[in-house]
Amino acid sequence: MKRLLRLLQWLLKAAVFFTLFAFALNNQQETRVNFFFGTFWSAPTVLVVLSAFSLGVVVGVLGMVPRWWRHRQTLRMTTPPTAETTSSPQPPHGT
């Protein structure tokens, strides 16, 4: 059963890779992205799409960092210490 799941995962990863590879091969036309003040960037379409996706991921992660930080701080303040950190060392058993 585990081997079947691993095989299915591998096949899914391969399918995603080859789909993205075919997308890249089909979108090699030159695309011009215009910025302010007459500046522009010319690149293949697939690079423009990949850049826009990457920039969106970075902006999304940076937007969530303050919330993650606050959540982590509140967890650190509200979590009671574990028994291992609060107990004093026990003397060895025996005499």
Side-chain angles (χ1 to χ4, degrees):
M1 186 67 177
K2 272 190 172 183
R3 291 184 74 192
L4 179 63
L5 286 176
R6 274 197 182 162
L7 178 65
L8 289 175
Q9 285 178 342
W10 187 86
L11 287 174
L12 180 64
K13 290 175 186 179
V16 168
F17 172 78
F18 286 116
T19 302
L20 292 174
F21 188 69
F23 174 77
L25 288 177
N26 287 328
N27 290 292
Q28 292 183 356
Q29 301 86 2
E30 194 73 15
T31 301
R32 182 174 169 168
V33 179
N34 294 310
F35 296 106
F36 297 109
F37 309 114
T39 59
F40 63 91
W41 176 49
S42 293
T45 305
V46 69
L47 286 181
V48 173
V49 171
L50 181 63
S51 300
F53 175 75
S54 300
L55 184 64
V57 168
V58 168
V59 168
V61 167
L62 288 177
M64 291 184 67
V65 165
R67 177 177 280 179
W68 286 339
W69 186 258
R70 269 186 264 123
H71 181 68
R72 192 172 161 170
Q73 291 296 330
T74 56
L75 279 179
R76 195 177 291 165
M77 291 171 32
T78 59
T79 305
T82 61
E84 299 166 350
T85 59
T86 58
S87 65
S88 60
Q90 299 291 326
H93 291 25
T95 50

